[in-house]
Amino acid sequence: EKDGHDWFMRKEIFEQPRAVADSLLGRRNAAGRLQLDEVRLSDEELRDIDKVIVIACGTSFYAGMVAKYAIEHWCRIPVEVELASEFRYRDPILTRETLVVAISQSGETADTLQAIRHARTQRSKVLAICNSNGSTIPRESDAVIYTHAGPEIGVASTKGFLTQLVACYLLGLYLAQVKGTRYNDEIAQVVDQLEQMPAHIETVLGQADQVYALAREFVGTPSVLFLGRHAGYPVALEGALKLKELAYIHAEGFAAGELKHGPIALVDDGLPIWCVVPPRGRDQLHEKMVSGIQEVRARGARTICLAEEGDTAIEPYADELIRLPKVPVLLQPLVAAVPLQLFACELATLMGHDVDMPRNLAKSVTVE
Ligand code: F6R
C-alpha cells in the first residue's frame, strides 16, 4: 500500500508527477481552449467578477498566496488571500461580483466551510478547489475544480499542495481566457509549460539523495529559516510549516526583502537557511535575492540554495546548491516545494518521529 516506501508521505511525494499530470488531464477542448467542466458559472458571470478572495488554511493557504500572484498577473483583477479563520470576523467586503475561492484538500475544514457559508449569505460566488469528491465544501459551493491527487493519507499535505497549485493556475488562465485579458496563444503556452511540469518534478525527485544527505547533516539543528520572494515566498512558508509539523523544530519562512526589517537579527553562526532563488529574468528579483543571501551568509548562516540550472551567480553564496529545472517564476513553486518536502520527511524520520501521524495533528480539522 505504501509502494515500498516507509511512509505514506514519502509515497505521496514521489507520486507528485502523476498527481500533477492527472490534475491537468482533459482541461483543453479540441480547439485547444481551456475548459473546466466543473466550473458551473457562466462566462457572463465570470466576466462580471471584479475581485477574488481566496480563503484557506495551512498549506492550502500557501497555495492561495501563489494563486494571488498568478491571477493578478494574468487577469488584472485584485486578489486577496485570507486565512479562513480570520475571514469571517473582520466584516469582509463581499458583493455579487466577488469570487470567493475556497481551497481545501479534504473539503471538510470547518474554518473554510464557515467562511464560504458567510460568503454565500452575501451573495458572492463560491468556487471550491478540492481533492475529495462529494465532500462538504464543494457541495456547498457554486462551482468546483477538483484536483486529482488521489487520496492523501499522510497528515502533512504534499501532493495535495502541488495539485492545488495546478488548479489555481488553471483557474487564473481560465478567467483570463473568459475575460480576454490574455491572448489565447499566451494561455496555450502556459498550459504547455504546465504539461511539462510532471517531467520537471521527476527531475527534482531524482535528487532526493542529495536532500537526504543534507537532512543527515542537520539532525539536531534547533532552528531552520526559509527565504523566498514572489511565488517563492509561499514556498518558503510551506517549507517551514512542513518542518514544524513533522520534525517539531523551530522553522520560519520569510519574504527575503523583509529580512533587513528585523529577522536578520536571528541569523547566527551555522544557522541553516533554505533559499528559494527565483529564476533569472528581466525583473530584479533574482539579483535582489542573491544580495539577500549574501547578507545572511556574511553573518554566518549556512545557505542551502534552490536555484535554476545554469544560475552561476548564486554559486559563490551557496554552501549547498540544489538545482531546479528552468521554469517561469510563477510556476516555480511546483518544483521548488519538492526538495523542502523531502527534507522535512527525511529529517523527521531520522529524528524517529511518526511522519504520517505527527503529534497533535489531524488530517482534517473539523472544529473551528
Ligand atoms: C499541512 C496541512 C494543513 C492543511 C490545513 C487545511 O501539511 O496539512 O495545514 O493544509 O489543515 O486543510 P484542507 O486543505 O483539507 O482544508
Side-chain angles (χ1 to χ4, degrees):
E1 47 170 12
K2 293 180 198 155
D3 279 346
H5 291 286
D6 50 351
W7 304 112
F8 281 108
M9 180 188 181
R10 209 183 307 262
K11 166 178 174 268
E12 288 163 3
I13 292 172
F14 280 88
E15 268 173 11
Q16 291 180 117
R18 197 272 310 144
V20 166
D22 284 356
S23 299
L24 286 164
L25 219 60
R27 308 293 194 181
R28 286 205 258 204
N29 66 17
R33 306 223 341 138
L34 274 178
Q35 54 174 24
L36 300 178
D37 293 330
E38 314 111 319
V39 176
R40 279 173 247 92
L41 294 169
S42 68
D43 285 2
E44 201 183 344
E45 284 172 308
L46 289 176
R47 272 194 288 268
D48 285 343
I49 298 296
D50 60 10
K51 182 171 77 170
V52 174
I53 304 184
V54 184
I55 46 179
C57 307
T59 291
S60 303
F61 176 77
Y62 301 141
M65 288 177 71
V66 176
K68 174 183 168 79
Y69 291 96
I71 298 174
E72 289 192 342
H73 178 69
W74 291 325
C75 310
R76 312 308 302 153
I77 49 175
V79 180
E80 295 172 24
V81 194
E82 180 124 17
L83 291 168
S85 55
E86 289 293 318
F87 175 73
R88 242 170 9 121
Y89 300 97
R90 67 165 177 99
D91 202 7
I93 300 166
L94 291 160
T95 70
R96 284 170 196 270
E97 285 74 40
T98 307
L99 179 67
V100 170
V101 177
I103 308 178
S104 175
Q105 188 284 130
S106 63
E108 301 295 348
T109 300
D111 287 311
T112 311
L113 179 60
Q114 294 306 332
I116 66 166
R117 284 183 178 156
H118 175 70
R120 295 197 71 190
T121 65
Q122 306 300 301
R123 305 272 184 278
S124 295
K125 310 272 184 316
V126 176
L127 181 145
I129 290 177
C130 184
N131 193 46
S132 315
N133 251 289
S135 56
T136 312
I137 290 170
R139 271 195 280 117
E140 295 201 16
S141 299
D142 300 293
V144 47
I145 299 177
Y146 280 111
T147 52
H148 297 286
E152 192 179 59
I153 295 172
V155 163
S157 186
T158 54
K159 62 177 182 172
F161 178 60
L162 258 57
T163 56
Q164 286 167 345
L165 291 173
V166 169
C168 291
Y169 296 133
L170 290 171
L171 173 63
L173 293 167
Y174 186 69
L175 277 176
Q177 176 180 292
V178 172
K179 285 175 166 286
T181 49
R182 293 283 161 177
Y183 291 115
N184 287 333
D185 287 357
E186 187 185 349
I187 295 170
Q189 197 195 347
V190 183
V191 181
D192 289 344
Q193 288 166 336
L194 278 171
E195 283 171 350
Q196 288 161 18
M197 295 309 287
H200 289 323
I201 297 165
E202 204 70 74
T203 303
V204 177
L205 288 169
Q207 299 169 83
D209 285 340
Q210 196 193 341
V211 179
Y212 295 160
L214 275 173
R216 283 195 291 278
E217 255 184 74
F218 288 109
V219 172
T221 186
S223 168
V224 181
L225 301 189
F226 295 78
L227 299 182
R229 289 189 86 105
H230 194 273
Y233 170 39
V235 175
L237 295 172
E238 168 63 5
L241 180 61
K242 287 285 97 87
L243 210 53
K244 286 181 234 191
E245 284 183 290
L246 302 171
Y248 319 145
I249 59 181
H250 171 250
E252 271 190 273
F254 295 109
E258 246 331 84
L259 266 187
K260 55 187 176 299
H261 300 289
I264 199 158
L266 289 169
V267 178
D268 203 354
D269 257 355
L271 176 73
I273 307 190
W274 280 86
C275 309
V276 184
V277 182
R280 293 153 302 167
R282 265 170 299 174
D283 45 41
Q284 296 281 297
L285 276 179
H286 178 267
E287 289 80 350
K288 293 260 164 72
M289 186 73 194
V290 173
S291 72
I293 295 171
Q294 225 173 320
E295 294 282 315
V296 294
R297 201 156 173 279
R299 287 161 179 80
R302 286 223 23 216
T303 56
I304 312 164
C305 297
L306 293 170
E308 71 177 1
E309 233 23 275
D311 180 349
T312 49
I314 194 68
E315 286 169 3
Y317 313 111
D319 292 303
E320 305 288 343
L321 184 53
I322 292 170
R323 288 297 185 181
L324 300 176
K326 263 178 86 74
V327 297
V329 65
L330 278 173
L331 306 189
Q332 200 196 36
L334 284 172
V335 286
V338 175
L340 305 183
Q341 299 167 339
L342 289 167
F343 181 72
C345 181
E346 183 66 7
L347 191 64
T349 303
L350 294 169
M351 292 171 79
H353 300 318
D354 183 334
V355 170
D356 284 336
M357 300 252 275
R359 69 183 182 200
N360 308 339
L361 296 175
K363 184 67 188 161
S364 53
V365 184
T366 51
V367 290
E368 270 186 85

CSV table of all heavy atoms in Angstrom, one decimal, residues 129-182:
chain,number,residue,atom,x,y,z
A,129,ILE,N,-11.7,24.6,-4.6
A,129,ILE,CA,-10.7,23.8,-5.2
A,129,ILE,C,-10.4,22.7,-4.2
A,129,ILE,O,-10.1,23.0,-3.0
A,129,ILE,CB,-9.4,24.6,-5.4
A,129,ILE,CG1,-9.6,25.6,-6.6
A,129,ILE,CG2,-8.2,23.7,-5.7
A,129,ILE,CD1,-8.5,26.5,-6.9
A,130,CYS,N,-10.7,21.5,-4.6
A,130,CYS,CA,-10.8,20.4,-3.6
A,130,CYS,C,-10.3,19.1,-4.1
A,130,CYS,O,-10.4,18.8,-5.3
A,130,CYS,CB,-12.3,20.3,-3.1
A,130,CYS,SG,-12.6,19.1,-1.8
A,131,ASN,N,-9.9,18.2,-3.2
A,131,ASN,CA,-9.4,16.9,-3.6
A,131,ASN,C,-10.3,15.8,-3.3
A,131,ASN,O,-10.0,14.6,-3.6
A,131,ASN,CB,-8.0,16.7,-3.0
A,131,ASN,CG,-7.3,15.5,-3.7
A,131,ASN,OD1,-7.3,15.3,-4.9
A,131,ASN,ND2,-6.7,14.6,-2.8
A,132,SER,N,-11.4,16.1,-2.6
A,132,SER,CA,-12.3,15.0,-2.1
A,132,SER,C,-13.7,15.1,-2.7
A,132,SER,O,-14.4,16.0,-2.3
A,132,SER,CB,-12.4,15.0,-0.6
A,132,SER,OG,-11.1,15.2,0.0
A,133,ASN,N,-13.9,14.3,-3.7
A,133,ASN,CA,-15.2,14.2,-4.3
A,133,ASN,C,-16.4,14.2,-3.4
A,133,ASN,O,-16.4,13.4,-2.5
A,133,ASN,CB,-15.3,13.0,-5.2
A,133,ASN,CG,-15.2,13.3,-6.6
A,133,ASN,OD1,-16.1,13.9,-7.2
A,133,ASN,ND2,-14.0,13.1,-7.2
A,134,GLY,N,-17.3,15.1,-3.6
A,134,GLY,CA,-18.5,15.0,-2.8
A,134,GLY,C,-18.4,15.4,-1.3
A,134,GLY,O,-19.3,15.2,-0.5
A,135,SER,N,-17.3,16.0,-1.0
A,135,SER,CA,-17.2,16.5,0.4
A,135,SER,C,-18.0,17.8,0.6
A,135,SER,O,-18.5,18.3,-0.3
A,135,SER,CB,-15.7,16.7,0.8
A,135,SER,OG,-15.1,17.6,-0.1
A,136,THR,N,-18.0,18.2,1.8
A,136,THR,CA,-18.9,19.3,2.2
A,136,THR,C,-18.7,20.6,1.5
A,136,THR,O,-19.6,21.3,1.0
A,136,THR,CB,-18.9,19.5,3.7
A,136,THR,OG1,-19.1,18.2,4.3
A,136,THR,CG2,-20.1,20.4,4.1
A,137,ILE,N,-17.4,21.0,1.4
A,137,ILE,CA,-17.1,22.3,0.8
A,137,ILE,C,-17.5,22.4,-0.7
A,137,ILE,O,-18.2,23.3,-1.0
A,137,ILE,CB,-15.6,22.7,1.1
A,137,ILE,CG1,-15.5,23.1,2.6
A,137,ILE,CG2,-15.2,23.9,0.3
A,137,ILE,CD1,-14.1,23.3,3.1
A,138,PRO,N,-17.1,21.5,-1.5
A,138,PRO,CA,-17.6,21.6,-2.9
A,138,PRO,C,-19.1,21.5,-3.0
A,138,PRO,O,-19.7,22.1,-3.8
A,138,PRO,CB,-16.9,20.4,-3.6
A,138,PRO,CG,-16.3,19.6,-2.6
A,138,PRO,CD,-16.1,20.4,-1.3
A,139,ARG,N,-19.8,20.7,-2.1
A,139,ARG,CA,-21.2,20.5,-2.1
A,139,ARG,C,-21.9,21.9,-1.9
A,139,ARG,O,-23.0,22.2,-2.4
A,139,ARG,CB,-21.7,19.5,-1.2
A,139,ARG,CG,-21.8,18.1,-1.8
A,139,ARG,CD,-22.6,17.1,-0.9
A,139,ARG,NE,-21.8,16.6,0.2
A,139,ARG,CZ,-22.2,16.9,1.5
A,139,ARG,NH1,-23.2,17.6,1.8
A,139,ARG,NH2,-21.4,16.4,2.4
A,140,GLU,N,-21.3,22.7,-1.0
A,140,GLU,CA,-21.9,24.0,-0.7
A,140,GLU,C,-21.4,25.1,-1.5
A,140,GLU,O,-21.6,26.3,-1.2
A,140,GLU,CB,-21.7,24.2,0.8
A,140,GLU,CG,-22.4,23.2,1.7
A,140,GLU,CD,-22.6,23.7,3.1
A,140,GLU,OE1,-22.5,24.9,3.4
A,140,GLU,OE2,-23.0,22.8,4.0
A,141,SER,N,-20.7,24.8,-2.6
A,141,SER,CA,-20.1,25.9,-3.5
A,141,SER,C,-20.9,25.9,-4.8
A,141,SER,O,-21.6,25.0,-5.2
A,141,SER,CB,-18.6,25.6,-3.8
A,141,SER,OG,-17.9,25.6,-2.5
A,142,ASP,N,-20.7,27.1,-5.5
A,142,ASP,CA,-21.4,27.2,-6.8
A,142,ASP,C,-20.6,26.5,-7.9
A,142,ASP,O,-21.2,26.1,-8.9
A,142,ASP,CB,-21.4,28.7,-7.2
A,142,ASP,CG,-22.2,29.5,-6.1
A,142,ASP,OD1,-23.4,29.3,-6.0
A,142,ASP,OD2,-21.6,30.3,-5.4
A,143,ALA,N,-19.4,26.3,-7.7
A,143,ALA,CA,-18.5,25.7,-8.7
A,143,ALA,C,-17.4,25.0,-8.0
A,143,ALA,O,-17.1,25.3,-6.8
A,143,ALA,CB,-18.0,26.8,-9.6
A,144,VAL,N,-16.7,24.1,-8.7
A,144,VAL,CA,-15.6,23.4,-8.1
A,144,VAL,C,-14.6,23.0,-9.2
A,144,VAL,O,-14.9,22.7,-10.3
A,144,VAL,CB,-16.1,22.1,-7.3
A,144,VAL,CG1,-17.1,21.3,-8.1
A,144,VAL,CG2,-15.0,21.3,-6.8
A,145,ILE,N,-13.3,23.1,-8.8
A,145,ILE,CA,-12.3,22.5,-9.6
A,145,ILE,C,-11.7,21.4,-8.7
A,145,ILE,O,-11.1,21.6,-7.7
A,145,ILE,CB,-11.2,23.5,-10.0
A,145,ILE,CG1,-11.8,24.6,-10.8
A,145,ILE,CG2,-10.1,22.7,-10.8
A,145,ILE,CD1,-10.7,25.7,-11.2
A,146,TYR,N,-11.9,20.1,-9.1
A,146,TYR,CA,-11.3,19.0,-8.4
A,146,TYR,C,-9.9,18.8,-8.8
A,146,TYR,O,-9.5,18.9,-10.0
A,146,TYR,CB,-12.1,17.7,-8.6
A,146,TYR,CG,-13.4,17.6,-7.8
A,146,TYR,CD1,-14.6,17.7,-8.4
A,146,TYR,CD2,-13.3,17.5,-6.4
A,146,TYR,CE1,-15.8,17.6,-7.7
A,146,TYR,CE2,-14.5,17.4,-5.7
A,146,TYR,CZ,-15.7,17.5,-6.3
A,146,TYR,OH,-16.8,17.4,-5.5
A,147,THR,N,-9.0,18.6,-7.8
A,147,THR,CA,-7.7,18.2,-8.0
A,147,THR,C,-7.7,16.7,-8.1
A,147,THR,O,-8.6,16.1,-7.5
A,147,THR,CB,-6.7,18.7,-6.9
A,147,THR,OG1,-7.3,18.2,-5.7
A,147,THR,CG2,-6.6,20.2,-6.9
A,148,HIS,N,-6.8,16.1,-8.8
A,148,HIS,CA,-6.8,14.7,-9.0
A,148,HIS,C,-5.6,14.0,-8.4
A,148,HIS,O,-4.9,13.3,-9.0
A,148,HIS,CB,-7.0,14.3,-10.4
A,148,HIS,CG,-8.4,14.8,-11.0
A,148,HIS,ND1,-9.6,14.2,-10.7
A,148,HIS,CD2,-8.7,15.8,-11.8
A,148,HIS,CE1,-10.6,14.9,-11.3
A,148,HIS,NE2,-10.0,15.9,-11.9
A,149,ALA,N,-5.3,14.4,-7.1
A,149,ALA,CA,-4.2,13.9,-6.4
A,149,ALA,C,-4.4,12.4,-6.0
A,149,ALA,O,-3.4,11.7,-5.8
A,149,ALA,CB,-3.8,14.7,-5.2
A,150,GLY,N,-5.6,12.0,-5.9
A,150,GLY,CA,-5.9,10.7,-5.3
A,150,GLY,C,-5.8,10.9,-3.8
A,150,GLY,O,-5.4,11.9,-3.3
A,151,PRO,N,-6.3,9.9,-3.0
A,151,PRO,CA,-6.4,10.1,-1.6
A,151,PRO,C,-5.0,10.4,-1.0
A,151,PRO,O,-4.0,9.8,-1.3
A,151,PRO,CB,-6.8,8.7,-1.1
A,151,PRO,CG,-7.2,7.9,-2.3
A,151,PRO,CD,-6.7,8.6,-3.5
A,152,GLU,N,-5.0,11.4,-0.1
A,152,GLU,CA,-3.8,11.8,0.6
A,152,GLU,C,-3.9,11.3,2.0
A,152,GLU,O,-4.8,11.8,2.8
A,152,GLU,CB,-3.7,13.4,0.5
A,152,GLU,CG,-2.3,13.8,1.0
A,152,GLU,CD,-2.1,15.3,0.9
A,152,GLU,OE1,-2.9,16.1,1.5
A,152,GLU,OE2,-1.3,15.8,0.2
A,153,ILE,N,-3.0,10.4,2.4
A,153,ILE,CA,-3.2,9.8,3.7
A,153,ILE,C,-2.3,10.4,4.7
A,153,ILE,O,-2.6,10.6,5.9
A,153,ILE,CB,-3.0,8.2,3.5
A,153,ILE,CG1,-4.1,7.7,2.6
A,153,ILE,CG2,-2.9,7.5,4.9
A,153,ILE,CD1,-4.0,6.3,2.2
A,154,GLY,N,-1.0,10.7,4.3
A,154,GLY,CA,-0.1,11.3,5.3
A,154,GLY,C,-0.8,12.6,5.7
A,154,GLY,O,-1.4,13.3,5.0
A,155,VAL,N,-0.6,12.9,7.0
A,155,VAL,CA,-1.3,14.1,7.6
A,155,VAL,C,-0.7,15.4,6.9
A,155,VAL,O,-1.5,16.3,6.7
A,155,VAL,CB,-1.2,14.1,9.1
A,155,VAL,CG1,-1.5,15.5,9.7
A,155,VAL,CG2,-2.2,13.1,9.7
A,156,ALA,N,0.6,15.4,6.7
A,156,ALA,CA,1.1,16.6,6.0
A,156,ALA,C,0.8,16.6,4.6
A,156,ALA,O,1.0,15.6,3.9
A,156,ALA,CB,2.6,16.6,6.3
A,157,SER,N,0.3,17.7,4.1
A,157,SER,CA,-0.1,17.8,2.7
A,157,SER,C,1.1,17.9,1.8
A,157,SER,O,2.0,18.7,2.0
A,157,SER,CB,-1.0,19.0,2.5
A,157,SER,OG,-1.5,19.0,1.2
A,158,THR,N,1.2,17.1,0.7
A,158,THR,CA,2.3,17.2,-0.3
A,158,THR,C,1.7,17.2,-1.7
A,158,THR,O,1.6,18.3,-2.3
A,158,THR,CB,3.2,16.0,-0.1
A,158,THR,OG1,2.5,14.8,-0.2
A,158,THR,CG2,4.0,16.1,1.2
A,159,LYS,N,1.2,16.1,-2.1
A,159,LYS,CA,0.6,16.1,-3.5
A,159,LYS,C,-0.7,16.9,-3.5
A,159,LYS,O,-1.1,17.4,-4.5
A,159,LYS,CB,0.4,14.6,-4.0
A,159,LYS,CG,-0.6,13.8,-3.1
A,159,LYS,CD,-0.8,12.4,-3.7
A,159,LYS,CE,-1.8,11.6,-2.9
A,159,LYS,NZ,-2.2,10.4,-3.6
A,160,GLY,N,-1.3,17.0,-2.3
A,160,GLY,CA,-2.5,17.9,-2.2
A,160,GLY,C,-2.1,19.3,-2.6
A,160,GLY,O,-2.7,20.0,-3.4
A,161,PHE,N,-0.9,19.8,-2.1
A,161,PHE,CA,-0.5,21.1,-2.3
A,161,PHE,C,-0.1,21.4,-3.8
A,161,PHE,O,-0.6,22.3,-4.4
A,161,PHE,CB,0.8,21.4,-1.5
A,161,PHE,CG,1.4,22.7,-1.7
A,161,PHE,CD1,0.7,23.9,-1.4
A,161,PHE,CD2,2.8,22.8,-2.1
A,161,PHE,CE1,1.3,25.2,-1.6
A,161,PHE,CE2,3.4,24.1,-2.2
A,161,PHE,CZ,2.7,25.2,-2.0
A,162,LEU,N,0.7,20.5,-4.4
A,162,LEU,CA,1.1,20.7,-5.8
A,162,LEU,C,-0.1,20.7,-6.7
A,162,LEU,O,-0.2,21.5,-7.7
A,162,LEU,CB,2.1,19.6,-6.2
A,162,LEU,CG,3.5,20.1,-6.3
A,162,LEU,CD1,4.0,20.6,-4.9
A,162,LEU,CD2,4.5,19.0,-6.7
A,163,THR,N,-1.1,19.8,-6.4
A,163,THR,CA,-2.3,19.8,-7.3
A,163,THR,C,-3.2,21.0,-7.1
A,163,THR,O,-3.9,21.4,-8.0
A,163,THR,CB,-3.1,18.5,-7.2
A,163,THR,OG1,-3.4,18.3,-5.8
A,163,THR,CG2,-2.2,17.3,-7.7
A,164,GLN,N,-3.2,21.5,-5.9
A,164,GLN,CA,-3.9,22.8,-5.6
A,164,GLN,C,-3.3,23.9,-6.5
A,164,GLN,O,-4.0,24.8,-7.0
A,164,GLN,CB,-3.8,23.2,-4.2
A,164,GLN,CG,-4.7,22.3,-3.3
A,164,GLN,CD,-4.4,22.5,-1.8
A,164,GLN,OE1,-3.4,23.1,-1.4
A,164,GLN,NE2,-5.3,22.1,-1.0
A,165,LEU,N,-1.9,23.9,-6.5
A,165,LEU,CA,-1.3,24.9,-7.3
A,165,LEU,C,-1.7,24.8,-8.8
A,165,LEU,O,-2.1,25.8,-9.4
A,165,LEU,CB,0.2,24.8,-7.3
A,165,LEU,CG,0.9,25.1,-5.9
A,165,LEU,CD1,2.4,24.7,-6.0
A,165,LEU,CD2,0.8,26.6,-5.6
A,166,VAL,N,-1.8,23.6,-9.3
A,166,VAL,CA,-2.2,23.4,-10.7
A,166,VAL,C,-3.6,23.9,-10.9
A,166,VAL,O,-3.9,24.6,-11.8
A,166,VAL,CB,-2.2,21.9,-11.0
A,166,VAL,CG1,-2.9,21.6,-12.3
A,166,VAL,CG2,-0.7,21.4,-11.1
A,167,ALA,N,-4.5,23.6,-9.9
A,167,ALA,CA,-5.9,24.1,-10.1
A,167,ALA,C,-5.9,25.6,-10.0
A,167,ALA,O,-6.7,26.3,-10.8
A,167,ALA,CB,-6.8,23.5,-8.9
A,168,CYS,N,-5.1,26.2,-9.2
A,168,CYS,CA,-5.1,27.7,-9.1
A,168,CYS,C,-4.6,28.3,-10.5
A,168,CYS,O,-5.2,29.3,-11.0
A,168,CYS,CB,-4.2,28.2,-8.0
A,168,CYS,SG,-4.8,27.8,-6.4
A,169,TYR,N,-3.6,27.7,-11.1
A,169,TYR,CA,-3.1,28.2,-12.4
A,169,TYR,C,-4.2,28.0,-13.4
A,169,TYR,O,-4.5,28.9,-14.2
A,169,TYR,CB,-1.9,27.4,-12.8
A,169,TYR,CG,-0.6,27.5,-11.9
A,169,TYR,CD1,0.1,26.4,-11.5
A,169,TYR,CD2,-0.2,28.8,-11.5
A,169,TYR,CE1,1.2,26.5,-10.8
A,169,TYR,CE2,1.0,28.9,-10.7
A,169,TYR,CZ,1.7,27.8,-10.3
A,169,TYR,OH,2.8,27.9,-9.6
A,170,LEU,N,-4.9,26.9,-13.4
A,170,LEU,CA,-5.9,26.7,-14.4
A,170,LEU,C,-7.0,27.7,-14.2
A,170,LEU,O,-7.6,28.2,-15.2
A,170,LEU,CB,-6.5,25.2,-14.3
A,170,LEU,CG,-5.6,24.1,-14.7
A,170,LEU,CD1,-6.2,22.7,-14.3
A,170,LEU,CD2,-5.3,24.2,-16.2
A,171,LEU,N,-7.4,28.0,-13.0
A,171,LEU,CA,-8.4,28.9,-12.7
A,171,LEU,C,-8.0,30.3,-13.3
A,171,LEU,O,-8.8,31.0,-13.9
A,171,LEU,CB,-8.7,29.0,-11.2
A,171,LEU,CG,-9.7,30.1,-10.8
A,171,LEU,CD1,-11.1,29.9,-11.5
A,171,LEU,CD2,-9.8,30.2,-9.3
A,172,GLY,N,-6.8,30.7,-13.0
A,172,GLY,CA,-6.3,32.0,-13.4
A,172,GLY,C,-6.3,32.1,-14.9
A,172,GLY,O,-6.7,33.1,-15.5
A,173,LEU,N,-5.8,31.0,-15.6
A,173,LEU,CA,-5.8,31.1,-17.0
A,173,LEU,C,-7.2,31.0,-17.6
A,173,LEU,O,-7.5,31.7,-18.7
A,173,LEU,CB,-5.0,29.8,-17.5
A,173,LEU,CG,-3.5,29.9,-17.1
A,173,LEU,CD1,-2.8,28.5,-17.4
A,173,LEU,CD2,-2.7,31.0,-17.9
A,174,TYR,N,-8.1,30.3,-17.0
A,174,TYR,CA,-9.5,30.2,-17.5
A,174,TYR,C,-10.1,31.6,-17.4
A,174,TYR,O,-10.8,32.1,-18.3
A,174,TYR,CB,-10.2,29.2,-16.7
A,174,TYR,CG,-11.6,28.9,-17.2
A,174,TYR,CD1,-11.8,28.2,-18.4
A,174,TYR,CD2,-12.7,29.2,-16.4
A,174,TYR,CE1,-13.1,28.0,-18.9
A,174,TYR,CE2,-14.0,29.0,-16.9
A,174,TYR,CZ,-14.2,28.3,-18.1
A,174,TYR,OH,-15.4,28.1,-18.6
A,175,LEU,N,-9.9,32.2,-16.2
A,175,LEU,CA,-10.5,33.6,-16.1
A,175,LEU,C,-9.9,34.5,-17.1
A,175,LEU,O,-10.7,35.4,-17.7
A,175,LEU,CB,-10.2,34.1,-14.7
A,175,LEU,CG,-11.1,33.7,-13.5
A,175,LEU,CD1,-10.6,34.3,-12.2
A,175,LEU,CD2,-12.5,34.2,-13.8
A,176,ALA,N,-8.7,34.4,-17.4
A,176,ALA,CA,-8.0,35.3,-18.4
A,176,ALA,C,-8.6,35.0,-19.8
A,176,ALA,O,-8.8,35.9,-20.6
A,176,ALA,CB,-6.5,35.0,-18.4
A,177,GLN,N,-8.9,33.8,-20.0
A,177,GLN,CA,-9.5,33.4,-21.3
A,177,GLN,C,-10.9,34.0,-21.5
A,177,GLN,O,-11.2,34.6,-22.5
A,177,GLN,CB,-9.5,31.9,-21.4
A,177,GLN,CG,-10.2,31.3,-22.6
A,177,GLN,CD,-10.2,29.7,-22.6
A,177,GLN,OE1,-9.1,29.1,-22.7
A,177,GLN,NE2,-11.4,29.1,-22.4
A,178,VAL,N,-11.7,33.8,-20.4
A,178,VAL,CA,-13.1,34.3,-20.5
A,178,VAL,C,-13.1,35.8,-20.5
A,178,VAL,O,-13.9,36.4,-21.2
A,178,VAL,CB,-13.9,33.8,-19.2
A,178,VAL,CG1,-15.2,34.4,-19.2
A,178,VAL,CG2,-14.0,32.3,-19.3
A,179,LYS,N,-12.2,36.5,-19.7
A,179,LYS,CA,-12.2,37.9,-19.6
A,179,LYS,C,-11.4,38.6,-20.8
A,179,LYS,O,-11.5,39.8,-21.0
A,179,LYS,CB,-11.6,38.4,-18.3
A,179,LYS,CG,-12.5,38.2,-17.1
A,179,LYS,CD,-11.8,38.6,-15.8
A,179,LYS,CE,-12.7,38.7,-14.6
A,179,LYS,NZ,-13.5,40.0,-14.7
A,180,GLY,N,-10.7,37.7,-21.5
A,180,GLY,CA,-9.9,38.3,-22.6
A,180,GLY,C,-8.8,39.1,-22.2
A,180,GLY,O,-8.3,40.0,-23.0
A,181,THR,N,-8.2,38.9,-21.0
A,181,THR,CA,-7.1,39.7,-20.6
A,181,THR,C,-5.8,39.2,-21.1
A,181,THR,O,-4.7,39.9,-21.0
A,181,THR,CB,-7.0,39.8,-19.0
A,181,THR,OG1,-7.1,38.4,-18.5
A,181,THR,CG2,-8.2,40.6,-18.5
A,182,ARG,N,-5.8,38.0,-21.7
A,182,ARG,CA,-4.5,37.5,-22.3
A,182,ARG,C,-4.9,36.8,-23.6
A,182,ARG,O,-6.0,36.3,-23.8
A,182,ARG,CB,-3.9,36.4,-21.4
A,182,ARG,CG,-3.4,36.9,-20.0
A,182,ARG,CD,-2.1,37.6,-20.2
A,182,ARG,NE,-1.8,38.4,-19.1
A,182,ARG,CZ,-0.7,39.1,-18.9
A,182,ARG,NH1,0.3,39.0,-19.8
A,182,ARG,NH2,-0.5,39.9,-17.9
